[in-house]
Structure formats: C-alpha cells, structure tokens
C-alpha cells in the first residue's frame, strides 16, 4: 500500500519535454539543492539509517556545488545536462528505494508538497531518454568519439566530468530502446570497459552483457553474441534468459563457424529517418563547406542598404552569402533589449506551459500534424519549444515588423506572426522546406519527403489565410551558441552559423511563384551553448509590386534593395 501511495505522489511530479528547451533545464538547476536538503533532513531524523543514503547526500552536495559554481551555463553543456536529468530521475529512484525500507511515506509527502509549491518541473523518463538520444545525435553529427564523449571531452576539450559505467550504460540502453543497435553496441562496450576500473561497479556486468550480445546479433555477429551470452550464463547462473539465449544462438549457427578466432566487431550504422542527404547535412553542420563557385567568388560582398527614406538616416549592413539562389545576412538588425522583450512576451502565448523559465518565458514543445491520423503530436525531428507573437502585442514586435519591411522591401501585412523558438538539448530541425508545395512542379520537378504535412495538406496549407505561399523567410539569431546550431542548405552546400543580433534572409519561391527546391534547409544540433531564434514567414499576397514576376524565365535577384553608387558608399 505504501508503495502505491508513493507512486501516486511522485508520478505527478514528473514532466516530459524538459530536454527540449535549454531554458527549462536552466530553471531546473536548483532542484538538486532541494534534493540535498531533503536527504540531509531525513538522515538527521533517522540517524541510524543506512550509510548508503548518506553517500547519496554527499554526492548531491558535491554535484550541486559544481553546478552552482558554473551557473546557468552548466546545462548548456550536453553532458552536464544529461547527468543532471539522470541524477533527478534514475538516481533519485534509488534514493526512494532506500527510504521505502522504513516509514518514509510521510517524509516523501513533504517532498512532494515542497516541489509543487516551488513550481519547478521535474524530469521524467522521456526526458532521460531524450537527453541520451540527444548525445547520440550530437555524436553522429559532429563525429564525436564514444570514449571521449563519455570522459567529458568534446572536440579535444575537457568540458565536463566523466560519465560512470552506469551513466554510459543508460545512454546505450536508450539507444537499444530506439532499436538503434549501432550506438547501443558502442556505448555498452565503453560501459563494460569503465566498470573494470570501478570499485564497486556502478552497474552489473551481467546487465551490460545482455544488451551487448543482442546488439552484436543484430549487427550479424552471432558468434560474438554467443560468446558473450555464455559468459553471462557463467557469471549469472540464475539469469532468466541467458541459458535460453545460448541455445538460441547455437541453433542459429547450426554448428557452423563454431571454431577458430571470433570474427571482428564491425559496427554498421543504419539510418531510419529517411533523410537522403544525411551525410551532406552533417558535414555542413561540422563546417565542412565546399569552396564557393569561381563565378561567384569575387562577387560576394557587403554593402549598406539605403533604399528607404528611414534607411538613408540609419542604413543597414548587408552581407551577401551566396547567389543563385540569393541568401543574405542583415547585420545588427535586432538589439539585446529587443531580444529580452521578445523572450518575455512569448509567455502568455504558449499553451501547456505551466512554469516560467529564468527569464520569465513560458515554453512548450514544437508539435506537428500526423499526415495519417491528423492528430497533433510531439515532433521528433524538431527539438525545440516555440511561441507565436502578434504584431500588436507590444511596440517592440511592431517595431521589428516595420524593420523587416524596411530591410527586405517586402510587404508585411500578410506575413505570419513572429515565431520564437528555444532549442533544447541537441536541439535541431531536420531538413525541410518553408513553403507549401503543389503536386505539379513542371519539367524536372519532383516531390521529396517532407515532415510537416502530407502533399494533400500542403496544397491547401495556406488556403484559409488567403495570403498565398511563403515567399521568403527572415530568421533572427537571438543568441550565439558556443558550438553548433548552424542553418544549412543541404543542396547548396551553404552553412550559416548563428551570429547574435543578425538576421538571415532568403526567398523560398522563384520569381514565377514556383517553390525553389534548392532552399531545403535544416537547423543543426546545438553542441554547446544556447540557441534562441525568431523567424518571420512572409507571404505572396501584397508582393505583386515589391517582387513582381520576371520578364524572362529563371530570372532572380542578385541583391536586396538598391545598389546604386550612393547606396554602395562604404
């Protein structure tokens, strides 16, 4: 009965989605201090309790002191964030089990009441899994070595404490639960090596061996799977599956290849997400950018945009990043004070948000519509939380909208509301288009996998708005991650790394109104740091004179605004 009560009490404290926004993780930092205090009080009341419980208290004190010394930036490190979530999920469960050996119900109820009063969200199992999967995503994208990552090393730099054998095991198990045997194999091997130097071991060898053996089997290495399972049966004779699995593997081999040296471990990565340009996308995220085409190399330039009356007084710096299609970076077009206001204004427009981030912003996880069921569901290809802000909500939003019209030259009356997003642990947005596509693309046209909606839905995506398709995108960078977080155009070989206060701009449609398939783009995972962005999707309606159709097929812009000698003054 006592266990049932505890489950009910604690179930209400766990919230998923914390890993999807760094702001939530920063807000959660103080939770470890609360855990320390509770454990200390409990030990004081039960002085003769188990020494094991006191050991947990000391560990929490040490870890919390380190986190407080670093400050909010502590969770911008993906390894620290993973460990923080792990400590507040799986390790807290161990504390619960120790408490349950005596009359702990009343004490735990006090913990529950205090957590509810504090209005701090606590992580759940989905958060632990999400944090682990984020590490795997970062590992793949940035080609991070498993052993280095488990030792707190990223890019040759020591950025965090080492993971224990159990920490490493949990990452491998998260991969296993996703049927990702490629990563499971790598992390379980490292976990096995780590416990050899641990006393006592933080995880049983038998637990690791079972996952490791099955991953080897899934990779086609049945003999090594059999060898490990035999060892499992030897060190854990009462294991419920070991003997049966030994016979299963032996029957599978049917006496073949049973002698001689074991085959080498060849770990094969298998993609499940259907992203055909995965290698090119990840290479761009790492900054492996192909050389600029010779015909454009000497034409890329910076200039001052002064083609509006206001801009003659306050010209805007423009950097041309590429041609064909055109992409530019507007420099210093949003101030720090405006960024602060925009974050604060996001809070009242966010559904399902019940807790404020440290800066006062309420956040929710990005959702998309399932093309088969029509239901809204959490996006797995987009790890972020977002909000929409109307133009009349605050003078800052109105001012930013006017400024967008000034520097793009495009009418803003039919644009969508300003969308604000905070990317989470390993936060990313897989390759996608911003425009809604139609069935007939003409000569050479084709249809590529899209994540937001089905083709049928895309054809009518903006019908109710009566504003036409998304002609262009403005993306404000409101923070600058230490590493990662680039915006990449997969088919163009272009990568733009966030530079705070700047805005990236590109056209989604050609001059004839057809979608430009070359604008398929993605947001790379954030490796270290925080990524805040806001974007404005500008629609066709109202642009008939600001961006008219070209007189010739395929005509396109080479700059934004006026490049007269006057406007081009340095």
């Amino acid at each position: 009965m006592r266990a049932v009560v505890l489950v009910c009490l604690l179930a209400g404290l766990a919230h998923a989605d914390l890993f999807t926004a760094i702001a939530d993780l920063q807000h959660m930092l103080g939770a470890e201090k609360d855990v320390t205090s509770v454990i200390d009080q409990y030990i004081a009341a039960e002085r003769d309790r188990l020494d094991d419980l006191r050991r947990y208290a000391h560990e929490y004190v040490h870890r919390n002191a380190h986190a407080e010394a670093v400050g909010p930036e502590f969770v911008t490190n993906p390894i620290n964030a993973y460990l923080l979530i792990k400590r507040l999920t799986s390790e807290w469960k161990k504390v619960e089990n120790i408490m349950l050996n005596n009359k702990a119900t009343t004490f735990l109820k006090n913990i529950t009441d205090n957590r509810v009063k504090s209005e701090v969200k606590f992580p759940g199992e989905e958060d632990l899994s999400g944090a682990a999967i984020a590490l795997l995503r970062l590992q793949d994208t940035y080609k991070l070595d498993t052993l280095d990552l488990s030792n707190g090393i990223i890019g040759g730099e020591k950025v965090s404490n080492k993971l224990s054998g159990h920490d490493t095991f949990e990452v491998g198990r998260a991969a296993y639960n996703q049927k990702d045997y490629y990563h499971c194999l790598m992390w379980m091997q490292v976990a096995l090596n780590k416990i050899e130097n641990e006393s006592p071991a933080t995880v049983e060898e038998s637990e690791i061996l079972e996952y490791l053996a099955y991953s080897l089997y899934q990779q086609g290495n049945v003999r090594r799977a059999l060898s490990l399972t035999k060892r499992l049966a030897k060190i854990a004779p009462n294991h419920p599956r070991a003997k049966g699995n030994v016979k299963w593997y032996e029957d599978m081999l049917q006496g073949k290849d049973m002698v001689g040296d074991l085959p080498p471990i060849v770990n094969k990565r298998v993609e499940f997400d259907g992203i055909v340009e995965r290698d090119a996308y990840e290479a761009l995220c790492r900054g492996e950018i192909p050389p600029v085409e010779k015909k454009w190399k000497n034409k890329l330039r910076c200039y001052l945009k002064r083609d509006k009356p206001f801009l003659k007084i306050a010209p805007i710096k423009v950097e041309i990043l590429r041609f064909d299609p055109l992409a530019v970076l507007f420099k210093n077009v949003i101030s720090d004070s405006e960024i602060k206001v925009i974050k604060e204004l996001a809070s009242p427009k966010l559904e399902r948000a019940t807790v404020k981030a440290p800066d006062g912003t309420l956040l929710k996880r990005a959702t998309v519509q399932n093309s088969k069921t029509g239901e809204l569901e959490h996006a797995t290809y987009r790890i972020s939380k977002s909000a929409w802000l109307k133009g009349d909500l605050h003078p800052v939003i109105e001012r930013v909208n006017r400024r967008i019209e000034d520097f793009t030259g495009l009418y803003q009356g039919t644009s969508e509301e300003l969308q604000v997003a905070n990317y989470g642990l390993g936060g990313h947005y897989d390759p996608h288009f911003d425009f809604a596509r139609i069935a007939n693309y003409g000569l050479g046209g084709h249809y590529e996998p899209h994540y937001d909606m089905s083709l049928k839905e895309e054809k009518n995506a903006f019908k109710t708005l009566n504003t036409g398709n998304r002609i262009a995108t403005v993306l404000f960078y409101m923070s600058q991650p230490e590493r990662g977080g680039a915006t990449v155009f997969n088919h163009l070989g272009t990568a733009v790394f966030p530079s705070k206060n700047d805005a990236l701009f590109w056209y989604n449609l050609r001059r004839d109104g057809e979608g430009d398939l070359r604008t398929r783009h993605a947001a790379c995972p954030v490796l270290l740091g925080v990524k805040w962005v806001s974007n404005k999707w500008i629609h066709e309606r109202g642009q008939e004179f600001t961006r008219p159709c070209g007189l010739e097929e395929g005509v396109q812009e080479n700059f934004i605004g006026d490049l007269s000698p006057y406007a081009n003054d340095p």
Side-chain angles (χ1 to χ4, degrees):
M1 178 62 183
R2 183 168 54 190
V4 173
V5 172
L6 286 167
V7 169
C8 292
L9 289 173
L10 295 168
L13 298 176
H15 297 266
D17 293 356
L18 296 182
F19 75 96
T20 61
I22 291 296
D24 277 341
L25 293 176
Q26 290 176 326
H27 193 65
M28 194 174 62
L29 270 174
E32 285 201 287
K33 185 176 181 180
D34 295 337
V35 172
T36 302
S37 174
V38 166
I39 295 175
D40 284 340
Q41 293 174 26
Y42 183 76
I43 292 174
E46 303 276 340
R47 294 188 181 279
D48 57 346
R49 285 302 301 154
L50 302 174
D51 290 340
D52 197 27
L53 186 60
R54 186 174 292 278
R55 178 173 64 84
Y56 275 106
H58 291 161
E59 288 179 1
Y60 275 119
V61 170
H62 173 73
R63 290 164 174 170
N64 184 70
H66 174 64
E68 287 190 333
V70 175
E73 288 74 22
F74 181 82
V75 292
T76 66
N77 180 309
I79 297 176
N80 289 342
Y82 163 73
L83 288 173
L84 175 62
I85 291 175
K86 180 177 179 290
R87 290 197 294 271
L88 294 174
T89 52
S90 61
E91 291 188 13
W92 176 246
K93 286 185 178 180
K94 292 183 179 180
V95 175
E96 291 176 20
N97 290 334
I98 295 172
M99 287 184 172
L100 283 170
N101 290 330
N102 69 359
K103 298 179 180 179
T105 306
T106 301
F107 206 87
L108 288 173
K109 186 178 184 303
N110 292 336
I111 299 173
T112 305
D113 294 342
N114 290 335
R115 287 185 176 183
V116 171
K117 291 176 183 177
S118 70
E119 294 187 347
V120 175
K121 290 192 290 185
F122 283 75
E125 288 298 323
E126 184 183 346
D127 290 298
L128 178 58
S129 175
I133 298 303
L135 286 178
L136 303 181
R137 183 184 308 115
L138 292 170
Q139 179 181 12
D140 281 347
T141 303
Y142 298 105
K143 288 189 174 180
L144 305 177
D145 180 75
T146 307
L147 182 59
D148 282 350
L149 197 53
S150 71
N151 287 331
I153 298 172
I154 292 180
E157 181 183 354
K158 183 74 172 177
V159 298
S160 177
N161 293 328
K162 294 182 178 181
L163 302 185
S164 68
H166 189 265
D167 297 331
T168 309
F169 167 79
E170 286 287 2
V171 177
R173 188 168 70 165
Y176 174 88
N177 290 336
Q178 297 290 318
K179 297 184 178 180
D180 178 1
Y181 306 111
Y182 168 78
H183 287 108
C184 180
L185 181 56
M186 290 192 294
W187 284 84
M188 289 301 175
Q189 285 178 305
V190 172
L192 196 60
N193 293 335
K194 280 183 175 288
I195 64 170
E196 292 179 358
N197 301 313
E198 292 180 342
S199 182
T202 55
V203 60
E204 295 294 331
E205 181 185 357
S206 58
E207 287 192 74
I208 299 174
L209 288 176
E210 186 173 19
Y211 286 96
L212 191 54
Y214 190 75
S215 295
L216 283 165
Y217 156 69
Q218 286 289 341
Q219 293 281 39
N221 202 332
V222 182
R223 276 195 63 195
R224 280 195 177 272
L226 173 60
S227 176
L228 290 179
T229 307
K230 284 182 176 179
R231 172 161 177 76
L232 172 60
K234 181 179 179 180
I235 65 175
N238 296 323
H239 192 280
R241 292 173 296 277
K243 292 181 180 178
N245 286 348
V246 167
K247 185 177 185 306
W248 187 56
Y249 290 135
E250 287 178 340
D251 291 344
M252 192 178 301
L253 290 170
Q254 295 180 342
K256 299 176 183 178
D257 300 322
M258 296 290 286
V259 295
D261 295 336
L262 291 173
I265 297 175
V266 179
N267 200 7
K268 297 167 288 187
R269 180 182 174 187
V270 179
E271 302 296 350
F272 297 97
D273 54 16
I275 300 176
V276 295
E277 69 269 53
R278 169 64 68 185
D279 290 343
Y281 158 55
E282 292 181 350
L284 288 171
C285 290
R286 294 190 295 270
E288 299 171 10
I289 304 170
V292 178
E293 295 179 49
K294 289 183 179 179
K295 64 178 179 178
W296 301 124
K297 191 171 184 179
N298 297 326
K299 295 185 178 182
L300 297 179
R301 60 184 301 171
C302 297
Y303 64 95
L304 294 177
K305 187 175 188 297
R306 308 191 211 183
D307 59 336
K308 300 279 185 180
F310 176 75
L311 297 183
K312 295 184 184 298
I313 301 172
I316 289 177
K317 298 175 183 178
V318 186
E319 178 183 356
I320 300 176
L321 301 177
R322 69 161 295 114
F323 297 104
D324 194 26
L326 182 69
V328 304
L329 193 67
F330 295 106
K331 309 289 287 186
N332 296 311
V333 288
I334 188 168
S335 68
D336 289 342
S337 60
E338 288 171 332
I339 289 172
K340 182 180 178 182
V341 170
I342 287 172
K343 289 180 182 179
E344 292 172 349
L345 289 174
S347 56
K349 299 297 177 182
L350 295 169
E351 301 172 6
R352 296 181 62 239
T354 57
V355 180
K356 287 187 178 181
D359 58 6
T361 305
L362 293 175
L363 301 168
K364 72 172 181 180
R365 182 173 172 185
T367 58
V368 292
Q369 189 175 42
N370 185 303
S371 60
K372 293 182 178 180
T373 66
E375 297 294 325
L376 286 178
E377 56 187 28
H378 286 160
T380 57
Y381 63 85
R382 184 180 187 183
I383 302 301
S384 66
K385 292 185 178 180
S386 57
W388 298 83
L389 304 179
K390 291 182 179 295
D392 59 1
L393 182 63
H394 191 278
V396 164
I397 307 301
E398 186 178 5
R399 185 164 70 238
V400 168
N401 287 342
R402 285 199 307 269
R403 190 176 305 144
I404 292 173
E405 184 159 334
D406 282 339
F407 64 66
T408 65
L410 298 175
Y411 174 64
Q412 293 302 300
T414 55
S415 293
E416 295 178 42
E417 297 168 5
L418 188 70
Q419 184 187 41
V420 182
N422 176 224
Y423 285 80
L425 180 57
H428 71 295
Y429 194 170
D430 278 345
H432 61 284
F433 300 102
D434 280 353
F435 62 89
R437 290 162 296 163
I438 59 176
N440 181 18
Y441 291 108
L443 183 62
H446 63 291
Y447 176 75
E448 297 185 27
H450 189 65
Y451 301 93
D452 287 345
M453 55 187 74
S454 68
L455 179 59
K456 181 180 178 181
E457 290 163 344
E458 285 196 40
K459 290 169 64 178
N460 299 314
F462 307 120
K463 185 175 181 179
T464 56
L465 297 178
N466 195 29
T467 56
N469 213 335
R470 289 172 176 167
I471 193 172
T473 296
V474 176
L475 180 65
F476 289 99
Y477 294 118
M478 302 200 300
S479 69
Q480 190 164 324
E482 296 174 49
R483 297 188 188 184
T487 305
V488 300
F489 294 81
N490 317 299
H491 301 305
L492 299 173
T494 300
V496 183
F497 287 84
S499 50
K500 189 179 180 184
N501 309 113
D502 297 343
L504 177 63
F505 173 84
W506 69 91
Y507 289 108
N508 296 305
L509 305 182
R510 297 176 182 270
R511 292 288 289 272
D512 60 5
E514 291 292 319
D516 193 335
L517 298 175
R518 299 171 297 175
T519 62
R520 183 170 167 88
H521 60 285
C524 296
V526 179
L527 182 54
L528 288 173
V530 184
K531 183 179 179 181
W532 280 93
V533 298
S534 57
N535 65 274
K536 193 76 168 177
W537 281 310
I538 304 171
H539 282 246
E540 291 178 284
R541 185 79 177 269
Q543 317 302 343
E544 292 82 1
F545 298 104
T546 58
R547 195 196 187 218
C549 293
L551 298 178
E552 298 178 7
E553 186 178 359
V555 67
Q556 57 187 342
E557 295 87 352
N558 287 327
F559 55 88
I560 303 294
D562 184 15
L563 269 180
S564 66
Y566 175 79
N568 195 37
D569 288 345

